[in-house]
Amino acid sequence: MATADTIFYGNVLTMDPAAPRQGGVAVRAGRVLAVGSAAELHPLAGPSTRVVHLGGWTLMPGFHDAHLHLTAHGRALEQLDLATSATLEDALARVAERAARLAADEWLQGSGFSLHRWGLRSVGPSEADALERAAGGRPVYLSSQDHHSAWVSRAALRRAGVSAATGEVAEGVIVRDASGEPTGLLLEKATRLVADAIPEPDAATVRRWLAGAAAHLASLGVTTVYHMAYEPAAYFRQLALSATDPGYPLRVWACVPHASIEAAAEIGLATGLGGDGFRVGGAKFFADGALGSRTAWMLEPYAGGTETGMPVDGPEVLAERVPLAIAAGLTPVTHAIGDAATRAVVDAYEASAEAWRAQGLRPRLEHAQHMHPVDVKRAGALGLVASMQPVHLTFDVAQIHDALPGRLERAYPMRSLAQAGAVLAFGSDTPVAPPDVFEGLRAASRRAAPDGRRLSLSEAVAPDVSLAAYTTGAAYAIGAEGRSGRLRAGFDADLVVLSHDPTVSLDGLEVVATMKGGALTYGAERLAG
């Protein structure tokens, strides 16, 4: 009889409906050897078996983050973080402090700002002057919290050659003052005007970012991530090399930009190709922008104005290129935040349903933050994957109340989507939002901002539903339900040990240890103790 490498005894939450709770798990050679009672597992112990008594801890499958930007997360861990800057003055003070540590001509990069949080609708000459002073004339590139806009300094505009004479950008906006001069605020694809002027990092730097990102996510109990395409091809290569290393703490499912569909088809690159650590994901589309930048595409105007946001990969693009993705064997994966955008995506998936079903693909609706009830029912009837990020609503609550006051019931329709038949897969969208799974679980169940303000509690989901969205539902979304997302003999030994049972309380939860493929990626010292 084969003996186990490790046996865990104690409270086990399997996420397997056939046997939801067990008394232990045995692991061998990177796989779950057996799940059962202590009496059933005891014969699997040998002289070299590591035995872990969980005591008050709980063991469950490792979490999946179903939507993130892995390289960008690693980069953000090293850059200026403005996510907690409550005022413009505080943000400028942080810029000045970071600038003082840089060379006179060195780029200062950061992310996480929110004009809404600062009480601003836009950026004008006075704000541009203040940023220039704080940076000491250095080039500055700050990504907004939603990463759909950027605030850059005048020095950065000069470096990029952006001026009053610069023409308008397709699917983007250069915000200008009354004289036509750029203020430094860039929306959507206009951000590339300056981003492309920032010196490219070398391969070693990208690998360092990826290592830092993986270590951080492992500390949060995450074992599998779904990387969304929104970065240079050179980053993708380093991502593949990193994740292919058996010692890398994460399994990675990585999308490609839809602009690369033809190139992928030419060489036979399709969803699911790869190995245990790295697999090709789907083709990534962007139907619209984001709520924070007011570029999310809405069916009706935002409050107090006539603007409805903007399509990016609009209905015509989706109608043409979603079928191309399907024909190439690439799962359509589409960012859609506004209710007009989610309708356009459901239209495209509905029109191509026969083709993607024949291919065995599982189209994904990424974010699904605002949906008309009619489209919720349509998405459910199609059985679409609703890849959502509950933690987003914690910082969106105020904006939704202010910008969409008559449409609160359309925001984050998690319960309605699940009841309609869609499959929930939860993630974080880091670095747009923190990748803390526990924050996501609490947000899905309580739908509250830090100040206690709530958002349509009728759409809250119970902890067991949220846990499934981070495990079984997410595994289904990438066709991995036969090896991941639950604890069953033969499945990947991707596990997380928690400080207590999350079905009892979501408060005070901590990750004790994380295991990927039978190897501890976090918390080895705590288990040894």
Side-chain angles (χ1 to χ4, degrees):
M1 179 184 294
T3 58
D5 299 325
T6 304
I7 298 179
F8 296 90
Y9 292 117
N11 184 39
V12 176
L13 184 63
T14 68
M15 301 306 298
D16 185 348
R21 292 189 181 273
Q22 292 286 3
V25 173
V27 172
R28 177 181 170 82
R31 300 276 182 174
V32 174
L33 178 61
V35 181
S37 66
E40 291 169 327
L41 298 182
H42 181 70
L44 301 177
S48 61
T49 299
R50 172 175 52 189
V51 174
V52 178
H53 293 282
L54 296 171
W57 298 338
T58 292
L59 180 73
M60 66 175 294
F63 298 122
H64 292 226
D65 190 312
H67 182 118
L68 53 61
H69 305 272
L70 190 59
T71 318
H73 177 61
R75 181 180 61 204
L77 290 173
E78 298 184 5
Q79 294 181 345
L80 179 63
D81 182 9
L82 297 176
T84 58
S85 62
T87 65
L88 174 62
E89 292 71 26
D90 175 59
L92 292 171
R94 298 187 195 192
V95 168
E97 190 277 331
R98 179 61 65 96
R101 293 190 266 137
L102 301 177
D105 62 347
E106 189 174 351
W107 282 83
L108 189 160
Q109 298 181 65
S111 62
F113 80 85
S114 168
L115 295 181
H116 185 272
R117 192 191 319 132
W118 295 344
L120 299 175
R121 286 292 298 273
S122 190
V123 166
S126 63
E127 289 81 17
D129 290 342
L131 180 59
E132 203 70 14
R133 287 193 299 272
R138 293 170 180 81
V140 177
Y141 185 97
L142 304 174
S143 294
S144 61
Q145 187 162 29
D146 58 28
H147 284 248
H148 283 259
S149 62
W151 185 22
V152 305
S153 65
R154 293 196 177 105
L157 292 171
R158 288 194 296 271
R159 289 273 188 103
V162 178
S163 68
T166 302
E168 294 306 319
V169 178
E171 300 170 353
V173 175
I174 303 170
V175 177
R176 305 173 190 267
D177 63 21
S179 67
E181 289 289 340
T183 66
L185 185 62
L186 307 171
L187 308 182
E188 298 299 339
K189 291 189 177 180
T191 60
R192 301 307 314 172
L193 295 173
V194 176
D196 289 345
I198 302 173
E200 285 293 328
D202 59 20
T205 298
V206 176
R207 293 290 284 269
R208 186 182 73 241
W209 291 343
L210 290 164
H216 183 227
L217 289 160
S219 76
L220 301 175
V222 176
T223 54
T224 301
V225 299
Y226 309 172
H227 173 72
M228 300 291 119
Y230 196 61
E231 60 187 37
Y235 291 16
F236 190 93
R237 180 182 180 187
Q238 298 307 320
L239 173 61
L241 290 170
S242 294
T244 301
D245 183 337
Y248 195 67
L250 303 172
R251 301 184 196 275
V252 178
W253 189 85
C255 294
V256 299
H258 79 82
S260 300
I261 291 171
E262 288 85 351
E266 188 173 347
I267 61 173
L269 196 69
T271 296
L273 294 184
D276 281 351
F278 179 85
R279 286 194 290 152
V280 177
K284 181 68 186 300
F285 296 83
F286 284 85
D288 67 342
L291 181 66
S293 300
R294 289 209 171 199
T295 53
W297 185 28
M298 309 303 299
L299 291 170
E300 295 96 30
Y302 290 96
T306 60
E307 73 272 18
T308 57
M310 59 188 293
V312 179
D313 296 325
E316 297 80 9
V317 173
L318 296 174
E320 176 188 353
R321 297 190 63 78
V322 164
L324 289 179
I326 294 166
L330 290 164
T331 299
V333 176
T334 310
H335 164 116
I337 289 184
D339 49 15
T342 51
R343 173 166 292 179
V345 177
V346 174
D347 287 344
Y349 290 170
E350 193 173 62
S352 58
E354 184 177 352
W356 54 257
R357 285 181 176 136
Q359 288 265 32
L361 301 176
R362 294 168 181 174
R364 297 165 56 112
L365 188 60
E366 302 296 318
H367 307 305
Q369 286 187 11
H370 305 274
M371 295 188 71
H372 191 284
V374 168
D375 300 316
V376 169
K377 292 178 181 178
R378 294 169 64 209
L382 289 168
L384 299 181
V385 172
S387 172
M388 305 180 77
Q389 301 76 46
V391 71
H392 277 208
L393 70 82
T394 63
F395 54 79
D396 275 350
V397 170
Q399 291 190 75
I400 292 169
H401 278 272
D402 292 347
L404 308 169
R407 289 162 273 175
L408 301 182
E409 76 285 352
R410 300 186 192 180
Y412 294 86
M414 299 172 189
R415 181 183 291 182
S416 293
L417 279 164
Q419 290 178 338
V423 177
L424 296 181
F426 284 170
S428 67
D429 201 15
T430 185
V432 174
D436 188 327
V437 175
F438 305 144
E439 287 191 31
L441 290 168
R442 289 188 287 266
S445 298
R446 300 169 184 174
R447 297 174 67 89
D451 63 4
R453 196 174 189 183
R454 294 182 182 270
L455 180 66
S456 45
L457 278 173
S458 62
E459 290 294 345
V461 295
D464 60 330
V465 175
S466 297
L467 287 166
Y470 279 110
T471 53
T472 55
Y476 172 88
I478 59 170
E481 71 272 21
R483 63 177 294 176
S484 186
R486 63 189 70 191
L487 299 180
R488 182 183 287 178
F491 275 49
D492 293 327
D494 296 350
L495 319 169
V496 61
V497 179
L498 303 179
S499 57
H500 63 263
D501 191 329
T503 65
V504 174
S505 175
L506 296 177
D507 293 319
L509 275 168
E510 295 180 2
V511 172
V512 176
T514 308
M515 174 178 280
K516 173 229 167 185
L520 288 167
T521 57
Y522 174 75
E525 68 288 344
R526 293 191 69 179
L527 294 190

